[in-house]
Amino acid sequence: LLFGIMIRSIMVNLHLSRLLAIRHFGIPVVIQEHERIYEAIKNKRPAVAVEKMQEHMAGALKRINQVNELLKSKE
């Protein structure tokens, strides 16, 4: 029960940060990253798909952190 409550609170904040990052950086960046992952999967290149997914996750984290820094600077 406690674990579920903790995960839900984290997910709410993560979802909000992702939405703000998409608004700030635009959806084309995210679409392009997803297209690269899709193409690797479609072409049956699992190692490339893993690499592109890791790049996407690193980029998403970087964008979320940048938005969070912007929000902190406005406080």
Side-chain angles (χ1 to χ4, degrees), residues 32-41 45-59:
Q32 186 178 52
E33 290 173 354
H34 284 128
E35 286 175 343
R36 290 179 184 145
I37 298 163
Y38 168 76
E39 287 298 320
I41 293 168
R45 300 182 69 198
V48 175
V50 167
E51 176 187 325
K52 297 305 174 189
M53 186 64 189
Q54 289 171 336
E55 289 173 5
H56 168 60
M57 296 303 293

Side-chain angles (χ1 to χ4, degrees), residues 37-73:
I37 298 163
Y38 168 76
E39 287 298 320
I41 293 168
K42 183 177 90 175
N43 294 322
K44 298 180 179 168
R45 300 182 69 198
V48 175
V50 167
E51 176 187 325
K52 297 305 174 189
M53 186 64 189
Q54 289 171 336
E55 289 173 5
H56 168 60
M57 296 303 293
L61 182 59
K62 181 179 176 183
R63 291 186 294 270
I64 287 169
N65 286 334
Q66 288 174 332
V67 166
N68 287 339
E69 288 301 316
L70 287 170
L71 292 173
K72 284 180 189 175
S73 70

Side-chain angles (χ1 to χ4, degrees), residues 2-3 8-9 18 20 26 30 32 37 40 43 45 60 68:
L2 181 58
F3 182 72
R8 278 192 292 278
S9 69
R18 283 188 351 224
L20 291 172
V30 177
Q32 186 178 52
I37 298 163
N43 294 322
R45 300 182 69 198
N68 287 339

